[in-house]
Amino acid sequence: MREHEAARDWIRSDETAKQMLSRVLGDRAFLLLPPLHRVPLRAGNVVEITGSSPTAKTQILIQAAIACILPKTWNGVHYGGLEKLVLFLDLDCRFDVMRLSDMLKHRLLEANRIGNGAWWQLEESSGVKNCRGAQDKSKSKSKIVYDEELYVSCMKRFLYLRCYDSLELLSSLKTLHYRIRLQEACGSQVGVLMIDSIGAFHWTDRLSSSLALDKNNRKSLSLTNVVETIVQEMKKLMRVHSLVVIATKATIYEEKYPTNENNRKLSSNNDKAQQPPFREFMPSSWQAFVTHKIFIRKSGDHHQSSGQQSLSAYSLEWLQPQLSSIDRFIVDDSGVVIVS
Amino acid sequence: MAPLKHLEMENPIIDACFRDFCSSHGILTVEDFLIHDLYELAAFAERQVDADRLKEGITVMLSLVEVKCRPWLNGMELLEDLQRNKQTLSSGDNGTDSLLQGGLREGQVTELVGPSSSGKTQFCMQAAASVAEKQEGSVFYIDTGNSFSARRIAQFICGSSAAAVLRKRVLSRISCHTVYDIYTMFDTLQGLEVALRSQMNVNECRLRLLVVDSISSLITPILGGSGSQGRALMVALGYLLKKLAHEHNIAVLVLLKFRGIGCVILLQSSFFLISPSVLKVTNYTVGAGENGKTKPALGETWKSIPHVRLMLSRDNRNNSCTISILKHTSMLSGQTVTRKDNQQCL
């Protein structure tokens, strides 16, 4: 009898397909992070955003970070965020926390304005938007208030680290697992790992590879070895924690291809082989690791209707998966705004 | 690259047999340790006789690496550090200050680009004078082209009623260093870093501004060719400047000369009439850019180094000078401000 029981237990299913789907979708849900909303991202995806300098790549990262750190709802107002931690590895060392803070405040005010339904008015004093105000409803001009506690809790979900060379980067990646575990013990989950400018140490690593001693049995600190180790450590992290990796990459060679969009469309129709619009310099281990690719370039000026000065517009193109539509966006005070 | 045996004194577990095990896998220094897969190493350790001790050694190494790592800061801590430590320094000119919402920010590298004789060095000296006088901070001025003039700085120290004693005190806060090649530059900056790290709490006259006039004359001689040495040194210099700026709360101001469109200009007679200053090719590295545009003197890689990039252009007809923002971390680019030339400070 016991053998029958054991056999029956072995055949009996662990869960139905419906249960499995709901579990997987819950654990590794699709993320729609604007302005990268054309392709839904799942945990385990690695997105690479390439563009020359300056093309608002860091602005896109900050916008995606805000979408991640906001909660879904708070005090009845819907924010639509993921309420997860963002780990920002700054290899470019140019991050400005004021920009993050301003964009977050804009988002909170925007959501409050829409959520409350009433028509609130932002008080502008000499060009500086004054967001705080007393909740004195007896005044004729009401001032907008955003929740300070919410702002603080969101800012605390943004974790930042800067590395000045590849050795610091490697040591941070090796110890990252333990630090994430410490954070998760406090109840918060990691959603996105952002790397600003993955090619930042490319030249210095290339120099180390040409200077490396060729001893047998010893792995030198060459460019390929360093990038391989980075990819290995990130793969290990992604196996244990469900996170999306978004990395920006600044092109280090000048664009040899025509920058005009019309020219590019014509040439791509003629060529059978899909040539990337920039010269790839990352080693193959990184290229194989990346699952999604985006390319951003400048695309002329955008003239605003309100008569203010024209802002430079950029075009965002998905290279992998290849989408036919190209988004054009501008960057203003509130962040990245898609124009067409 | 410190060899592992230096760690034995403080961590007795890193003894000779641990080091032998490591060297059998090609790990002789801490840096080698970083590029190896630790789980794989632990699996190899499993097969050895003293497996537990070896694995404990690996854990101790990892904890040593972690101690050296910087801590992760959250958004609120970053804001606090910004507000407490990194102030905005006035650049000496009201127009520029209003354009940059305060002036030069400590912790950021600001780059000033412009053609020859557009007033870049004057801007630097005015900023140095302003920081030394009004913010009472010391200035480290690195001069690569013999363009530093103490007399001119003294003119910028405003006020005809400025006493000689005050002038002397302000000028004593500015130290000028002449550097003619990139290796001396590394030497100077690393010496500065050591001095700053070992400095005790000297709150008055702490170093607030570092000026490099001009950085292109140090880097353009080593760039060129397909080798990576030149660009690697340029990137290393850029990161050293960023590290100095952030860790020691200094505003860094670097000057850059850009490549002009020398040959194309000569063909277009209209340009010839309007801007004769462009024909001065002595300081340019002449090269034709794509479609006749100007190319930055240090190439595409340098564009990722500075936080803020400003362009200075001069209009000789109106005797005015325009500053425009090419790139800023938290402001829209393209904004400009124009000011009239003035011999004295504004």
Side-chain angles (χ1 to χ4, degrees):
Chain A
M1 270 312 281
R2 236 182 290 160
E3 295 93 39
H4 285 299
E5 283 285 330
R8 213 169 280 150
D9 275 335
W10 190 78
I11 296 173
R12 201 173 293 137
S13 58
D14 292 330
E15 55 184 1
T16 65
K18 182 175 175 185
Q19 285 169 337
M20 186 199 133
L21 199 59
S22 57
R23 175 176 62 87
V24 166
L25 285 178
D27 270 349
R28 304 197 161 214
F30 281 104
L31 311 174
L32 284 171
L33 302 168
L36 310 173
H37 53 275
R38 291 255 178 220
V39 176
L41 301 170
R42 285 186 67 215
N45 284 350
V46 180
V47 185
E48 181 194 68
I49 304 177
T50 315
S52 66
S53 174
T55 37
K57 303 184 289 294
T58 313
Q59 304 297 316
I60 292 183
L61 279 188
I62 298 180
Q63 182 118 354
I66 289 179
C68 193
I69 57 181
L70 281 173
K72 208 164 183 120
T73 50
W74 178 279
N75 279 352
V77 183
H78 176 77
Y79 293 100
L82 302 169
E83 205 167 352
K84 288 197 178 169
L85 293 179
V86 167
L87 300 171
F88 195 98
L89 265 176
D90 194 3
L91 305 185
D92 219 14
C93 306
R94 286 193 299 176
F95 184 71
D96 193 356
V97 72
M98 284 311 294
R99 184 72 182 133
L100 171 72
S101 158
D102 287 339
M103 275 170 68
L104 181 61
K105 284 183 186 160
H106 267 275
R107 265 302 291 272
L108 293 179
L109 288 168
E110 185 79 36
N112 257 319
R113 192 160 48 92
I114 296 172
N116 286 345
W119 186 68
W120 298 92
Q121 203 177 26
L122 268 175
E123 185 190 308
E124 289 192 36
S125 49
S126 63
V128 176
K129 288 195 168 70
N130 189 353
C131 307
R132 296 190 199 200
Q135 260 173 333
D136 194 358
K137 295 218 171 100
S138 59
K139 289 193 181 163
S140 52
K141 217 198 306 183
S142 349
K143 294 176 198 167
I144 281 212
V145 148
Y146 64 85
D147 203 332
E148 181 76 18
E149 199 190 318
L150 173 61
Y151 169 76
V152 169
S153 72
C154 284
M155 289 295 274
K156 285 199 172 149
R157 277 188 218 122
F158 183 84
L159 299 176
Y160 173 87
L161 184 68
R162 52 164 65 188
C163 300
Y164 290 104
D165 59 49
S166 329
L167 293 175
E168 289 189 23
L169 173 61
L170 284 174
S171 38
S172 320
L173 283 176
K174 282 213 182 312
T175 54
L176 193 49
H177 175 63
Y178 298 104
R179 296 194 191 199
I180 296 182
R181 274 246 284 268
L182 284 172
Q183 287 287 336
E184 288 189 342
C186 310
S188 27
Q189 255 201 331
V190 181
V192 189
L193 169 67
M194 296 185 171
I195 302 183
D196 198 356
S197 225
I198 187 83
F201 308 128
H202 177 81
W203 290 112
T204 35
D205 286 339
R206 249 169 85 161
L207 185 65
S208 331
S209 32
S210 60
L211 296 176
L213 300 161
D214 203 20
K215 278 202 183 126
N216 47 356
N217 196 28
R218 192 175 168 190
K219 242 180 170 180
S220 62
L221 267 175
S222 63
L223 177 66
T224 33
N225 283 337
V226 168
V227 175
E228 236 173 64
T229 318
I230 291 175
V231 166
Q232 228 173 42
E233 294 298 323
M234 291 196 356
K235 278 187 184 160
K236 278 193 232 162
L237 273 175
M238 283 162 71
R239 254 180 253 150
V240 186
H241 308 278
S242 62
L243 38 83
V244 178
V245 177
I246 308 183
T248 60
K249 189 173 80 176
T251 53
I252 56 177
Y253 295 105
E254 278 157 29
E255 240 179 69
K256 300 270 192 255
Y257 298 97
T259 47
N260 200 343
E261 272 176 29
N262 294 328
N263 278 354
R264 215 188 94 68
K265 284 207 179 96
L266 284 172
S267 65
S268 64
N269 281 337
N270 293 335
D271 295 346
K272 284 294 171 187
Q274 289 294 335
Q275 276 180 334
F278 57 90
R279 190 171 146 189
E280 184 61 67
F281 58 89
M282 293 296 291
S284 51
S285 46
W286 172 261
Q287 290 184 43
F289 180 54
V290 170
T291 58
H292 293 69
K293 289 190 187 160
I294 298 177
F295 181 65
I296 303 185
R297 56 155 68 92
K298 251 184 99 92
S299 92
D301 284 342
H302 171 76
H303 301 279
Q304 282 185 308
S305 50
S306 51
Q308 287 171 343
Q309 62 174 121
S310 58
L311 299 167
S312 42
Y314 306 97
S315 70
L316 188 154
E317 189 185 339
W318 282 86
L319 296 175
Q320 187 183 338
Q322 190 112 34
L323 297 178
S324 51
S325 59
I326 297 185
D327 289 319
R328 270 187 89 220
F329 65 89
I330 56 165
V331 182
D332 70 358
D333 281 340
S334 61
V336 171
V337 175
I338 302 219
V339 169
S340 61
Chain B
M1 290 239 190
L4 284 178
K5 66 173 187 271
H6 289 178
L7 296 170
E8 191 175 356
M9 195 132 47
E10 286 174 18
N11 305 288
I13 196 145
I14 309 204
D15 54 0
C17 74
F18 181 76
R19 290 201 304 270
D20 282 336
F21 167 70
C22 285
S23 54
S24 68
H25 289 278
I27 300 178
L28 297 163
T29 66
V30 184
E31 282 82 7
D32 290 336
F33 188 75
L34 286 176
I35 48 171
H36 273 82
D37 188 346
L38 295 182
Y39 291 104
E40 210 180 280
L41 204 64
F44 276 118
E46 214 33 64
R47 296 191 211 151
Q48 302 280 323
V49 174
D50 45 356
D52 288 331
R53 215 176 139 71
L54 289 175
K55 282 199 283 193
E56 205 186 316
I58 295 176
T59 322
V60 164
M61 285 292 300
L62 198 60
S63 62
L64 285 174
V65 165
E66 193 175 348
V67 161
K68 285 292 175 188
C69 274
R70 272 166 241 270
W72 283 81
L73 299 171
N74 65 36
M76 290 310 293
E77 288 165 1
L78 281 176
L79 267 181
E80 216 180 273
D81 169 62
L82 190 76
Q83 281 156 359
R84 200 164 10 118
N85 298 332
K86 297 182 166 50
Q87 292 144 22
T88 317
L89 304 174
S90 160
S91 62
D93 171 34
N94 290 334
T96 321
D97 284 348
S98 66
L99 178 70
L100 295 175
Q101 288 178 0
L104 304 170
R105 210 134 46 116
E106 284 178 353
Q108 286 193 341
V109 176
T110 307
E111 173 191 277
L112 197 59
V113 195
S116 185
S117 73
S118 51
K120 300 193 295 296
T121 310
Q122 301 300 310
F123 181 91
C124 278
M125 293 204 279
Q126 190 172 24
S130 157
V131 168
E133 184 190 355
K134 295 187 191 120
Q135 262 101 2
E136 294 193 0
S138 65
V139 177
F140 197 93
Y141 198 107
I142 298 181
D143 185 22
T144 63
N146 293 332
S147 47
F148 182 78
S149 155
R151 198 170 299 165
R152 187 76 182 105
I153 293 196
Q155 281 179 347
F156 278 122
I157 298 172
C158 272
S160 49
S161 59
V165 175
L166 170 69
R167 202 171 284 220
K168 190 172 171 187
R169 194 166 61 214
V170 169
L171 283 174
S172 68
R173 290 189 197 130
I174 304 178
S175 61
C176 180
H177 305 255
T178 40
V179 164
Y180 296 119
D181 62 86
I182 195 159
Y183 302 104
T184 324
M185 178 70 161
F186 271 115
D187 221 7
T188 316
L189 287 180
Q190 277 162 354
L192 176 65
E193 195 181 16
V194 168
L196 285 172
R197 258 189 286 167
S198 60
Q199 204 175 35
M200 293 298 126
N201 283 346
V202 185
N203 271 322
E204 57 151 313
C205 285
R206 76 169 175 93
L207 181 61
R208 283 181 186 267
L209 178 66
L210 170 67
V211 181
V212 184
D213 175 12
S214 63
I215 207 161
S216 44
S217 53
L218 295 176
I219 297 180
T220 26
I222 56 169
L223 279 184
S226 55
S228 56
Q229 282 97 328
R231 280 183 260 207
L233 283 174
M234 173 172 77
V235 168
L237 180 62
Y239 272 85
L240 184 54
L241 288 172
K242 283 201 266 205
K243 194 170 182 181
L244 276 172
H246 183 81
E247 307 288 321
H248 302 282
N249 306 321
I250 303 174
V252 178
L253 181 62
V254 299
L255 253 54
L256 207 70
K257 298 198 165 91
F258 64 50
R259 282 197 254 191
I261 32 176
C263 28
V264 181
I265 285 265
L266 290 170
L267 295 172
Q268 297 185 4
S269 52
S270 53
F271 271 105
F272 180 85
L273 290 169
I274 288 176
S275 43
S277 64
V278 180
L279 288 182
K280 279 192 208 163
V281 293
T282 47
N283 283 331
Y284 283 23
T285 315
V286 173
E290 271 175 34
N291 308 324
K293 289 201 293 265
T294 52
K295 267 164 95 171
L298 298 181
E300 192 74 25
T301 318
W302 179 261
K303 280 195 196 168
S304 320
I305 306 276
H307 291 79
V308 178
R309 296 172 63 214
L310 303 172
M311 182 154 88
L312 206 59
S313 51
R314 162 169 289 212
D315 187 356
N316 276 331
R317 270 184 309 164
N318 305 337
N319 248 5
S320 66
C321 181
T322 310
I323 299 184
S324 53
I325 297 184
L326 290 178
K327 176 179 166 53
H328 197 284
T329 49
S330 55
M331 275 168 51
L332 296 170
S333 60
Q335 296 173 48
T336 60
V337 88
T338 313
R339 65 160 190 204
K340 290 281 182 201
D341 269 347
N342 212 332
Q343 286 305 312
Q344 302 295 327
C345 61
L346 292 167

